[in-house]
Amino acid sequence: MGKRGPKPRFLDVACPNEQCNLFGIAGKGNVTVYGTYTISSGKVRKYVCHTCGTRFCDRTNTAFYDSRTNEEKIKLALKMAMRGMSVLGIAEIVESKPSTVSTWISKAAKHSEKVNEVVLKDVETPKVEMDEAWTFVGKNTTQRR
């Protein structure tokens, strides 16, 4: 029990440790808050799983993990990168170093790959449509005639 009474149990938070018996299962009452830290956009909660002892935060297993930068700033930079802007241009607009912007982009790419491995694991596609490819090929063959 804490100084101000029992610590609240977070029923919507699951343990991120794959070796934990309650990995990925929310609502078991095994996760409590053990502190916060401050970033430019506010506070981030730190949690502890009482089943395995793993400590983690709100940003664990996200593209924002281990970054103290405002999430909105990172999202803006990633949107600009997806639109084809250069790292130098993005860095100038969001007022960060180019190396920082490159780190955000590479972390987001790695996180996207991990998400795809989980989400697209057993996806079966019986048919694949080639409309765009055919349109491109069709236009090229008609122009040559």
Side-chain angles (χ1 to χ4, degrees):
M1 179 155 13
K3 292 178 184 176
R4 289 173 251 139
K7 291 189 176 188
R9 304 245 178 229
F10 285 80
L11 299 177
D12 60 337
V13 181
C15 180
N17 180 6
E18 293 181 10
Q19 280 73 43
C20 181
N21 293 334
L22 296 176
F23 165 69
I25 303 171
K28 295 294 183 180
N30 60 314
V31 177
T32 58
V33 170
Y34 82 96
T36 60
Y37 64 91
T38 305
I39 59 172
S40 59
S41 60
K43 290 186 177 182
V44 176
R45 282 192 178 122
K46 297 188 289 184
Y47 303 98
V48 63
C49 172
H50 293 285
T51 304
C52 66
T54 300
R55 295 172 185 248
F56 58 99
C57 69
D58 285 332
R59 291 178 159 200
T60 300
N61 293 334
T62 70
F64 306 112
Y65 180 71
D66 203 24
S67 173
R68 292 185 176 261
T69 306
N70 184 331
E71 289 181 18
E72 296 304 317
K73 188 175 189 178
I74 297 173
K75 286 178 188 179
L76 177 63
L78 294 174
K79 284 180 184 178
M80 288 188 277
M82 288 189 299
R83 295 286 182 212
M85 283 187 68
S86 70
V87 172
L88 291 173
I90 295 169
E92 186 176 327
I93 291 171
V94 298
E95 297 176 352
S96 292
K97 295 179 184 176
S99 60
T100 303
V101 173
S102 293
T103 301
W104 296 339
I105 293 169
S106 65
K107 284 175 72 171
K110 288 176 187 173
H111 184 70
S112 296
E113 288 175 10
K114 289 179 184 178
V115 169
N116 283 341
E117 287 175 11
V118 173
V119 174
L120 302 177
K121 190 174 185 177
D122 296 319
V123 175
E124 293 183 28
T125 53
K127 290 184 179 180
V128 177
E129 294 190 24
M130 300 292 287
D131 292 340
E132 290 81 12
W134 179 250
T135 303
F136 177 76
V137 171
K139 283 183 181 179
N140 283 342
T141 56
T142 56
Q143 290 175 354
R144 292 182 185 157
R145 290 183 185 171

